[in-house]
Amino acid sequence: MASRNTTNDRRARIEQMRRAEQSRERRNRVLTIGISAVVVAGLVGFGVFVLNKESEEKEQRVAEAKAPVKEEKSWDAKKLGRNHVETAVSYEMKPPVGGDHSQVWMNCNGDVYKEAIPEVNAVHSLEHGAVWVTYSDKAAKGDVDKLAEKVKKTPYTLMSPYKDQQGAIMLSAWGKQVTVDSADDKRVSQFFTKYVQGPQTPEPGAACTGGLSGK
């Protein structure tokens, strides 16, 4: 009789253990499903956030490209010479925004030059759709550094000091130019968006590498 009771007790304990294990397995499944749902929801939410942000940035770029640049100066592109010359050229604006120029362009694949560069080569870069950022001794070092970082990340741009310009910081494209107050001026981003390979470009898609690299 005692042996039978012992067997029954053992079976009861085994059954209890089995039920406890099943209960743990159910809890683990529920927990796993819950965590997976949270992760999936988070990924979906993040994906929606990224897509919305990209859409907003695209809309902003489109708006910037359409809007006029405040206090921008323009020259008639048709009246700007485009001949290749081997002699110095006297430009009517400083820095120049177009005109006759050297047959060799200045490298403008995000190139930052620490010393002044030849105007006749830089103008050829503008003909290829580059934006040329220039600064005088009046520009703050912090602004120069910020602009240099922006240029380095942007193909079809170049940057160099320009001693004789009127403004501390100036941006030039073919037939277009603007003076800004600082690197944080909103017109910097707008000018880049509007004129890097913009509609003013006489030779869109032309190379910005393989030219003159400076000192």
Side-chain angles (χ1 to χ4, degrees), residues 149-207:
E149 287 303 311
K150 184 174 182 62
V151 167
K152 289 176 182 177
K153 297 175 183 178
T154 311
Y156 284 95
T157 65
L158 68 163
M159 179 175 174
S160 68
Y162 196 101
K163 184 178 180 180
D164 298 330
Q165 67 182 30
Q166 290 186 344
I169 299 169
M170 300 179 72
L171 285 73
S172 304
W174 188 268
K176 305 291 182 179
Q177 192 170 79
V178 68
T179 300
V180 298
D181 305 319
S182 71
D184 296 323
D185 193 306
K186 292 181 179 180
R187 290 174 294 173
V188 173
S189 175
Q190 183 184 10
F191 200 89
F192 272 51
T193 299
K194 198 174 183 74
Y195 297 125
V196 170
Q197 284 286 283
Q200 85 294 340
T201 306
E203 297 181 3

Side-chain angles (χ1 to χ4, degrees), residues 82-87 91 100-106 120-125 127-128 203 207 210-212:
R82 292 180 54 197
N83 297 313
H84 289 173
V85 297
E86 297 181 359
T87 58
Y91 296 104
D100 294 344
H101 50 269
S102 170
Q103 64 180 352
V104 181
W105 56 89
M106 207 72 203
V120 289
N121 301 101
V123 169
H124 196 156
S125 300
E127 186 181 39
H128 288 191
E203 297 181 3
L212 188 64

